[in-house]
Amino acid sequence: MSSQAEPRVLISHKEIAVRINQLSSEISNAYRDKNPLLIGILKGSFMFMADLVRVLDFPLEVDFIGLSSYGEGKESSGKVRVTHRPGSEVRDRHVLVVEDIVDSGLTLAFLREYLLKKKPASVKLCALIDKPDRHQVPVTIDYLGFTVPNKFLVGYGLDWDEKYRNLPDICVLDG
Ligand code: IMP
Ligand code: MG
């Protein structure tokens, strides 16, 4: 076995579920009659997206975009690459971007520009976690789950080198 530290629970799956329920009422109020297109950023948002749409009880569509700015380390390379394009038509749609965690903000700055070129009716952002101390560019998060200190997190979809995505809780990876 490696000497990698054990992940330590920071936000439990129960706390996540409570917060997602609260977010869902805000999102429902804004989008109930808009047939929004929710675009999740792969891979990290897959679990958050699944739990979020399960509690949204109005017509909506789901798509994903693959964006990659990380290598195998814990720092952003600063360069964002599209690894999977969404199949949905974005033009004239109310788009809600679903993101796992905002770190430097570079991924979202890139995605906002990418989407705005496709002339959507609106683009807003729902992020489960924000690390405000890490922002390198301004980011507006319209629906935010949790603000956390500057720690590297894993679990609930978040990875370190593709590992730990299956943990049910959001954990801190020390070391
Ligand atoms: P940004 O472009 O620096 O804001 O990075 C955003 C992306 O980096 C997120 O979508 C995550 O996939 C990844 N990321 C940022 N912080 C963490 C973390 O603490 N754990 C795991 N992935 C992270
Ligand atoms: Mg990632």
Side-chain angles (χ1 to χ4, degrees):
M1 288 297 287
S2 79
S3 58
Q4 180 71 52
E6 277 297 301
R8 174 166 59 76
V9 176
L10 181 69
I11 306 169
S12 73
H13 60 280
K14 286 189 181 153
E15 292 172 278
I16 298 170
V18 168
R19 191 71 189 107
I20 288 179
N21 266 312
Q22 294 165 343
L23 286 177
S24 78
S25 30
E26 287 180 50
I27 293 171
S28 301
N29 288 341
Y31 287 98
R32 179 168 297 284
D33 303 315
K34 294 198 167 111
N35 184 30
L37 174 61
L38 275 64
I39 301 185
I41 305 181
L42 293 172
K43 302 174 192 171
S45 73
F46 76 95
M47 218 179 267
F48 178 39
M49 175 70 99
D51 286 345
L52 180 65
V53 295
R54 226 187 297 255
V55 290
L56 294 178
D57 61 347
F58 56 86
L60 56 80
E61 292 172 27
V62 175
D63 209 332
F64 289 95
I65 185 168
L67 295 176
S68 180
S69 66
Y70 275 65
E72 292 177 359
K74 295 179 184 175
E75 294 291 321
S76 173
S77 68
K79 291 206 180 89
V80 183
R81 231 165 19 99
V82 179
T83 56
H84 168 80
R85 287 172 193 284
S88 311
E89 180 67 66
V90 165
R91 194 182 182 95
D92 297 330
R93 299 298 303 273
H94 290 282
V95 174
L96 182 61
V97 172
V98 176
E99 170 66 310
D100 51 358
I101 183 164
V102 181
D103 189 83
S104 68
L106 294 167
T107 303
L108 287 165
F110 171 90
L111 182 57
R112 182 173 285 277
E113 287 308 306
Y114 176 92
L115 290 171
L116 286 175
K117 280 186 201 141
K118 299 184 186 298
K119 308 248 186 297
S122 66
V123 179
K124 289 201 173 181
L125 169 64
C126 174
L128 182 62
I129 306 165
D130 185 27
K131 291 198 261 188
D133 295 347
R134 299 270 304 170
H135 292 184
Q136 291 177 29
V137 289
V139 198
T140 304
I141 305 176
D142 302 281
Y143 306 96
L144 173 63
F146 302 95
T147 298
V148 301
N150 180 13
K151 300 268 185 198
F152 197 81
L153 307 181
V154 295
Y156 197 73
L158 295 165
D159 73 305
W160 174 72
D161 199 11
E162 295 303 325
K163 296 174 199 54
Y164 304 111
R165 291 194 197 276
N166 53 323
L167 299 179
D169 309 299
I170 295 168
C171 302
V172 177
L173 194 62
D174 294 315

